[in-house]
Amino acid sequence: MAFTGAERQQKHRKIKRDQNLSLVQVWVPKDRTIEIKAIAAKMAEEESKDLEPSPRQLAFAQFLCDKKGLKISQDILSSSKKLSEWLNENKKAKDKTERNL
């Protein structure tokens, strides 16, 4: 059984929505496309940079350390991404123990 073009398109859109993506179609002047592509590339580059942890991340990490008696290495405290991963791991471990009780 072959799929019609419309069915393939619906399936593709559903997959993209499941990936938390949105289809955005915008008409722009031809002479501005290079500028817009440069802005998009800069935004993607900035998103991939590893920044320092936010004050909220640090406060939550301190809360978990105090509550669970954990210690965090300086390497983790210097990276927002690493601290986020550490917080998710330790937060989940707490959730799992509460469910088993």
Side-chain angles (χ1 to χ4, degrees):
M1 180 170 104
F3 291 107
T4 65
E7 290 171 330
R8 281 194 304 273
Q9 189 176 33
Q10 286 176 341
K11 184 178 178 183
H12 178 74
R13 287 184 178 175
K14 182 183 180 325
I15 290 169
K16 294 299 181 185
R17 279 192 303 267
D18 292 344
Q19 294 173 347
N20 200 27
L21 298 173
S22 296
L23 176 63
V24 179
Q25 295 177 334
V26 180
W27 289 98
V28 296
K30 286 185 178 183
D31 62 335
R32 304 294 302 260
T33 55
I34 294 172
E35 178 185 357
I36 291 170
K37 287 180 181 180
I39 292 169
K42 184 177 179 182
M43 289 174 63
E45 179 183 316
E46 288 177 359
E47 186 177 300
S48 67
K49 288 182 182 175
D50 192 11
L51 306 174
E52 291 184 10
S54 70
R56 290 184 72 187
Q57 281 182 310
L58 294 171
F60 188 56
Q62 184 64 47
F63 169 77
L64 286 178
C65 287
D66 292 344
K67 187 164 183 158
K68 299 172 95 179
L70 301 171
K71 295 192 179 202
I72 306 174
S73 70
Q74 282 300 111
D75 180 47
I76 292 174
L77 288 174
S78 66
S79 166
S80 175
K81 289 179 183 179
K82 289 179 184 178
L83 184 57
S84 179
E85 291 170 4
W86 185 90
L87 290 171
N88 287 334
E89 283 178 23
N90 289 288
K91 181 178 70 171
K92 289 178 183 177
K94 177 183 173 240
D95 294 341
K96 289 177 186 175
T97 58
E98 286 180 356
R99 289 183 195 147
N100 292 336
L101 295 177

